[in-house]
């Protein structure tokens, strides 16, 4: 569904449910991660982009202290009072909204004067590694800031969504998804530094676009695999702190040369996990220089390297994503391909020549179907504008 259709459907459903049109509607996009995998919580670097799919959040104030919240796709409503905004075990989709709402007001939502009626609806494919949850959090954040007259800078708003993921949804994620959803610009990448929590928008260059290939393979970050990777990175950083003579707080502080010299002191698995974000940081920084020179082919080669590192070291790929990247490698008009986001299923992002998009989609799907009996969802990605109130 196109964004305009999603918007119209949401406004119509809201009016039917609550008796009048919403006073505020916000929008926040999903994201692709282009280069820099599992670097955000290691205080490293990432190239990402906001995509043309997102979530709309509509809201009107109520006279009383109640919140009525409806998932527009399911047409399921939950309710609670603003004096008690909680994590819930039923209708768990509400936790992204409840969590963001609570985290926007660390002093407590009980001080607010009134509640609200709200409904959300989006078109980010769920469970595809495209951050549908961050889109919902940031759409919630934008709309509720407007509703309550709260002015937050980009990083503070992103952190409210991240805290909602940690405390309400159970995923110890970094800040990448929320920041990308807020900081996207049409036709541009977002290059982030997660030590200073700063970012810049960088043009991708002419003659190339991204494609997203979403495999039907499951992607779930709350089942422990993401958390275990994060823990291994933190353990590795703690070790490097003891053997290196300069300050180390995160893997951002460890170079590839230092990993080569000192990783023997780590157990094999922890050493393998650590080399991934270290290599990714180097690829993002070198990739930035390549984009400045307009060398998109060499940038694409780094994307392939990134996937190999996921496949061999971080082990956050899976057979299906490997099959997609392997198929992509044989197509001359694909310049690079890698898994995007947490991993363990989900989507691959491809850097391609736009005129070959149809051929690329057909070739990859033919191979995928021959192997697995089903097809991937494949679309061209437009780097898009970040979250905003409409
Ligand atoms: C998920 C997390 C992000 C980031 C990526 C991997 O999308 O939510 O914070 O760690 O995985 O780079």
């Amino acid at each position: 569904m196109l964004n305009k259709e999603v918007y119209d459907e949401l406004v119509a459903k809201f009016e039917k449910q609550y008796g009048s049109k919403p006073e505020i509607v916000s929008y926040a996009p999903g994201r692709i991660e282009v280069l820099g995998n599992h670097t955000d919580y290691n205080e490293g670097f990432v190239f990402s982009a906001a995509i043309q799919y997102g979530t709309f959040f509509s809201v009107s104030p109520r006279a009383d202290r109640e919140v009525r919240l409806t998932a527009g796709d399911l047409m399921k409503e939950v309710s609670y009072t603003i004096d008690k905004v909680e994590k819930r075990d039923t209708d768990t989709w509400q936790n992204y909204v409840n969590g963001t709402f609570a985290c926007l007001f660390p002093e407590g939502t009980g001080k607010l004067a009134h509640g609200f009626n709200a409904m959300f609806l989006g078109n980010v494919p769920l469970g595809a590694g495209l951050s549908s949850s961050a889109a919902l959090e940031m759409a919630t954040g934008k709309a509720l800031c407007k509703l309550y007259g709260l002015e937050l800078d980009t990083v503070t708003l992103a952190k409210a969504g991240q805290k909602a993921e940690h405390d309400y949804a159970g995923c110890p994620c970094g800040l990448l998804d929320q920041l990308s959803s807020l900081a996207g610009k049409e036709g541009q990448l977002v290059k982030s530094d997660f030590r200073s929590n700063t970012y810049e928008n960088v043009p991708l260059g002419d003659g190339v676009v991204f494609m997203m290939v979403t495999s039907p393979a499951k992607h779930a970050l709350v089942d422990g695999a993401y958390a275990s990777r994060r823990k291994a990175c933190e353990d590795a950083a703690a070790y490097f702190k003891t053997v290196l003579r300069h300050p180390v707080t995160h893997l951002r502080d460890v170079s590839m040369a230092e990993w080569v010299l000192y990783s023997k002191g780590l157990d094999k698995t922890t050493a393998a996990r650590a080399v991934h974000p270290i290599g990714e940081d180097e690829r993002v920084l070198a990739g930035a220089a390549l984009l400045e020179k307009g060398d998109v082919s060499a940038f694409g080669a780094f994307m392939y390297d990134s996937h190999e590192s996921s496949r061999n070291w971080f082990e956050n790929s899976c057979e299906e994503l490997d099959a997609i990247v392997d198929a992509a490698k044989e197509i001359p008009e694909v310049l690079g391909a890698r898994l995007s986001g947490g991993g363990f299923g989900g989507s691959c992002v491809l850097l391609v020549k736009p005129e070959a998009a149809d051929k690329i989609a057909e070739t990859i799907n033919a191979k995928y179907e021959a192997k697995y009996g089903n097809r991937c969802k494949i679309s061209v990605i437009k780097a898009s504008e970040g979250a905003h109130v409409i």
Side-chain angles (χ1 to χ4, degrees):
M1 223 185 339
L2 295 173
N3 282 353
K4 172 85 176 79
E5 292 165 0
V6 180
Y7 174 86
D8 289 345
E9 185 179 327
L10 176 66
V11 171
K13 282 179 163 173
F14 186 99
E15 194 172 4
K16 199 157 172 240
Q17 181 91 343
Y18 297 116
S20 57
K21 288 206 163 72
E23 278 190 18
I24 298 163
V25 182
S26 63
Y27 170 79
R31 63 99 190 89
I32 49 169
E33 178 199 281
V34 175
L35 198 60
N37 186 244
H38 286 259
T39 51
D40 58 352
Y41 56 80
N42 289 302
E43 295 200 347
F45 304 95
V46 188
F47 271 117
S48 61
I51 63 178
Q52 74 269 33
Y53 304 108
T55 298
F56 289 91
F57 190 94
S58 54
V59 65
S60 290
R62 290 176 61 93
D64 58 17
R65 303 186 67 74
E66 232 192 311
V67 170
R68 290 185 176 267
L69 169 69
T70 303
D73 52 347
L74 310 168
M75 284 312 283
K76 179 91 205 276
E77 189 186 75
V78 296
S79 60
Y80 49 87
T81 144
I82 53 169
D83 300 303
K84 222 172 165 199
V85 184
E86 291 178 318
K87 178 179 174 192
R88 298 236 179 117
D89 297 332
T90 51
D91 302 308
T92 49
W93 47 264
Q94 68 181 301
N95 288 328
Y96 300 105
V97 176
N98 301 358
T100 306
F101 180 29
C103 296
L104 286 175
F105 298 96
E107 313 280 284
T109 47
K111 295 208 172 97
L112 298 170
H114 60 83
F116 55 82
N117 292 328
M119 186 185 287
F120 63 88
L121 190 65
N123 58 3
V124 186
L126 302 181
L130 298 167
S131 293
S132 54
S133 59
L136 175 55
E137 289 148 13
M138 294 300 94
T140 302
K142 282 282 176 190
L144 295 187
C145 281
K146 178 84 181 161
L147 181 73
Y148 290 115
L150 181 67
E151 282 185 20
L152 294 183
D153 62 83
T154 302
V155 171
T156 307
L157 179 52
K159 281 187 174 170
Q162 181 194 28
K163 192 159 165 42
E165 288 278 352
H166 289 198
D167 298 350
Y168 285 68
C171 178
C173 65
L175 200 58
L176 169 68
D177 307 342
Q178 293 76 13
L179 192 70
S180 307
S181 178
L182 294 174
K185 272 260 168 304
E186 202 175 318
Q188 308 223 357
L189 298 174
V190 181
K191 178 173 173 265
S192 310
D193 175 338
F194 288 100
R195 171 148 285 168
S196 54
N197 285 334
T198 51
Y199 64 89
E200 55 183 320
N201 292 107
V202 178
L204 173 62
D206 298 329
V208 282
V209 291
F210 292 111
M211 286 177 83
M212 169 180 92
V213 181
T214 303
S215 92
K218 173 180 157 290
H219 159 94
L221 299 183
V222 277
D223 63 4
Y226 183 94
S228 80
R229 296 304 185 280
R230 183 169 181 157
K231 169 87 173 45
C233 291
E234 285 163 1
D235 290 348
Y239 161 75
F240 282 110
K241 183 179 160 64
T242 64
V243 293
L244 296 179
R245 252 164 274 154
H246 60 79
V248 175
T249 61
H250 293 79
L251 286 178
R252 149 78 169 261
D253 303 310
V254 182
S255 70
M256 191 56 90
E258 288 164 341
W259 181 87
V260 170
L261 276 174
Y262 294 101
S263 62
K264 287 182 249 358
L266 285 168
D267 70 83
K268 229 174 132 209
T269 305
T270 310
R273 302 298 182 249
V275 76
H276 179 62
I278 293 172
E280 287 291 276
D281 274 346
E282 297 198 349
R283 280 185 280 279
V284 172
L285 294 179
L290 291 171
L291 284 187
E292 242 169 65
K293 281 197 293 181
D295 192 347
V296 280
S297 300
F299 185 90
F302 278 147
M303 292 173 67
Y304 282 130
D305 292 345
S306 167
H307 190 82
E308 285 316 299
S309 176
S310 273
R311 186 192 318 230
N312 299 321
W313 297 107
F314 212 61
E315 294 184 272
N316 63 330
S317 184
C318 64
E319 208 193 300
E320 290 88 345
L321 295 186
D322 293 345
I324 293 166
V325 171
D326 292 343
K329 262 186 195 156
E330 286 173 26
I331 308 170
E333 292 90 349
V334 182
L335 305 179
R338 65 190 282 279
L339 69 82
S340 180
F344 315 105
S347 297
C348 287
V349 57
L350 276 51
L351 182 66
V352 308
K353 302 241 163 98
E355 59 279 8
D358 291 343
K359 170 188 136 180
I360 293 166
E362 195 35 53
T363 312
I364 290 180
N365 253 337
K367 282 203 177 149
Y368 195 93
E369 194 168 17
K371 207 163 175 189
Y372 298 108
N374 47 14
R375 290 168 83 84
C376 301
K377 289 209 182 78
I378 306 187
S379 48
V380 172
I381 290 298
K382 291 191 208 122
S384 301
E385 209 54 37
H388 51 274
V389 172
I390 292 168

